[in-house]
Amino acid sequence: MAPYETDDSTDTGERDELRAGRRRAGPLLISGTAGTPLGSYFCLTRPDGFGARPQFMCLPEDVRPSGGVTYRGRLDAVGQAVLVVGAAVGVTVLLDGEVVARQEKVEYYESDWGAVPMFFRHQLALGEGEHVLEVVADAVDPREAVFVDCVAGAGSAVNSLVSGAGWEAETGEWRGRTVEHEGRWGELQHCYAAVRPHPLPDTEWLTGAPVLGAAVLPLRSTDTVRERAQRFRFTVPPGTESLDLPLELPARVRIGDGTETRLDGQVLTLEQPLPEPTEIEVVTAPTAVRRGGSAWRGPVRVRAVAAQLPLGDWQLLGLGGWSGGVTYSREVEVPAGADPVLDLGRVRGSVSVVLDGECVGEAFCPPYRFELPGAAGRLVRLDVTVNNTLAPYLAEATPTAWAFPSQLPSGLLGPVTLRVRD
């Protein structure tokens, strides 16, 4: 596929940009899964709203460096300037013929396209008029490339000089123009001298307001005129009295086997706390961009009061993504005689046992048995706190291959017995 670019203005002054890279000589693995189709993304900006972005530049394919390579560009600006230079070789930076910065050679990782570059930031002071910026690279390998992003000025009078095709270049007896380097070293946005518009709308919170260009237009569209409901189901624990549902779309909610009701706002307050683990279903009508996880601004949050919690795996009790502690409490009438031993049976997690406000033991592995001194012949209160690991939270909030299924069960599984010696 040959490189091409479209710049078609619409009646509203918007611009649609599309850029495709030149076909490589060999196969390129884009996805980790064979046969996965290649997707694409389009964004709309106002004319000149996206602005030029720096690309790596190098010499034409048939030119071999002779000693060093001088890259030369021109910038008409005044005031303070920020210059970012990326290279894997030694670099000298000259402004109007005067040396203003030097970078040492970087011994770093090698890739298919040569040594991976490192980036350095410099501050420059520019007077009025046109300025000549020269970057002299100690290049000996034809694959070596240079990245330059210089942004100067303030307010509406911001100008930039970015690397790419068309810079003046010279090495030895050769004089000519640079070409864009086809290598890839990942996303370069963090290496820019100033913030450019993010390709997604409403992302100023992520990168800050753009210094160059304008934000992408926050347009919304639907992929069909026929609504098709999407349903989200999850289980909440006993004692739940309200839920925070930060949805981006209007929704209906069903609690357990009840009927669907319209969600008014994002907080669902129940008439009374739930007596048992209960499934909640949230129903929305998706749009082209508000489907799946995009229909939510954040996680569902549950507010609960103390309630009866049966023994068992927390995954089945509405606490599948909970990483923390749960306290099981009850009063027990202990028969007279010898002090008893509390046997918790099977536990997934670490345990601490408190007798009438005093800790009598802790354990993180079997056997989960604890002597209860002074408990014989009276009514006592037992508090058993089980704490699990981060695995359940990580597996649900940030899916990872390192949270194994065997790490997810948690809780007091029992059977719990009070053993009294004869």
Side-chain angles (χ1 to χ4, degrees):
M1 182 185 295
Y4 65 93
E5 212 166 355
T6 65
D7 188 354
D8 301 324
S9 298
T10 67
D11 293 339
T12 58
E14 299 166 356
R15 185 175 66 177
D16 183 9
E17 294 188 351
L18 174 63
R19 183 178 179 83
R22 181 178 300 166
R23 183 180 60 193
R24 298 182 66 228
L28 176 63
L29 183 61
I30 297 174
S31 171
T33 304
T36 301
L38 173 64
S40 62
Y41 173 81
F42 297 88
C43 62
L44 294 175
T45 66
R46 297 176 178 86
D48 300 322
F50 215 55
R53 278 157 159 73
Q55 301 293 336
F56 279 95
M57 61 184 177
C58 61
L59 301 178
E61 202 171 296
D62 57 346
V63 178
R64 294 295 179 268
S66 177
V69 178
T70 299
Y71 300 93
R72 186 178 295 110
R74 303 176 190 278
L75 174 65
D76 190 356
V78 62
Q80 292 297 315
V82 176
L83 170 66
V84 174
V85 178
V89 297
V91 168
T92 302
V93 179
L94 297 91
L95 178 64
D96 298 329
E98 298 291 333
V99 175
V100 293
R102 288 191 176 90
Q103 296 177 192
E104 295 297 327
K105 179 180 179 180
V106 178
E107 297 291 344
Y108 208 53
Y109 299 106
E110 289 282 335
S111 72
D112 292 342
W113 305 285
V116 177
M118 292 291 286
F119 299 82
F120 296 86
R121 182 178 294 261
H122 311 284
Q123 299 288 335
L124 304 178
L126 304 179
E128 293 186 4
E130 184 182 69
H131 302 278
V132 177
L133 181 69
E134 294 176 303
V135 177
V136 182
D138 302 331
V140 294
D141 190 325
R143 298 182 302 171
E144 300 293 0
V146 171
F147 172 99
V148 177
D149 187 16
C150 184
V151 177
S156 60
V158 177
N159 290 331
S160 65
L161 174 64
V162 300
S163 54
W167 277 48
E168 300 174 22
E170 58 183 74
T171 180
E173 300 297 324
W174 181 86
R175 304 288 187 274
R177 298 285 178 175
T178 61
V179 296
E180 182 180 329
H181 183 63
E182 295 183 3
R184 296 292 183 270
W185 285 290
E187 174 57 50
L188 299 176
Q189 183 170 335
H190 65 285
C191 303
Y192 293 159
V195 176
R196 267 80 163 184
H198 194 281
L200 294 174
D202 300 329
T203 53
E204 284 76 11
W205 64 271
L206 180 64
T207 60
V211 175
L212 297 171
V216 171
L217 297 175
L219 303 179
R220 295 288 183 263
S221 62
T222 57
D223 55 351
T224 176
V225 296
R226 182 180 178 183
E227 290 188 352
R228 300 181 61 184
Q230 60 181 357
R231 301 175 183 272
F232 303 91
R233 297 186 182 95
F234 50 90
T235 301
V236 296
T240 296
E241 60 178 1
S242 68
L243 296 91
D244 186 4
L245 304 171
L247 286 156
E248 291 282 1
L249 299 168
R252 304 184 305 277
V253 179
R254 182 169 63 231
I255 303 171
D257 297 329
T259 59
E260 288 185 3
T261 58
R262 182 177 176 272
L263 178 64
D264 187 12
Q266 73 173 42
V267 177
L268 175 63
T269 302
L270 307 180
E271 293 182 358
Q272 59 185 9
L274 295 174
E276 59 186 4
T278 305
E279 183 181 80
I280 306 294
E281 181 179 71
V282 178
V283 185
T284 71
T287 68
V289 294
R290 298 299 185 194
R291 60 176 60 250
S294 298
W296 299 80
R297 292 191 302 273
V300 175
R301 298 183 184 275
V302 173
R303 294 174 179 83
V305 297
Q308 293 283 341
L309 184 70
L311 301 186
D313 187 349
W314 291 352
Q315 295 180 101
L316 306 176
L317 303 176
L319 296 168
W322 173 249
S323 286
V326 172
T327 299
Y328 301 78
S329 303
R330 68 171 299 168
E331 291 184 339
V332 179
E333 185 72 47
V334 181
D339 285 334
V341 173
L342 177 66
D343 188 340
L344 298 179
R346 185 164 175 252
V347 179
R348 289 303 304 268
S350 61
V351 173
S352 63
V353 176
V354 173
L355 172 65
D356 290 335
E358 296 291 334
C359 182
V360 295
E362 298 176 333
F364 63 89
C365 63
Y368 294 100
R369 299 192 186 101
F370 303 87
E371 294 186 0
L372 304 180
R378 62 190 186 89
L379 179 68
V380 299
R381 177 182 174 86
L382 292 173
D383 297 294
V384 177
T385 300
V386 178
N387 290 280
N388 63 355
T389 68
L390 280 173
Y393 170 78
L394 294 177
E396 185 167 300
T398 57
T400 170
W402 299 107
F404 305 109
S406 61
Q407 296 175 295
L408 304 184
S410 304
L412 178 55
L413 308 181
V416 178
T417 56
L418 195 65
R419 299 179 182 273
V420 180
R421 298 186 182 92
D422 294 335

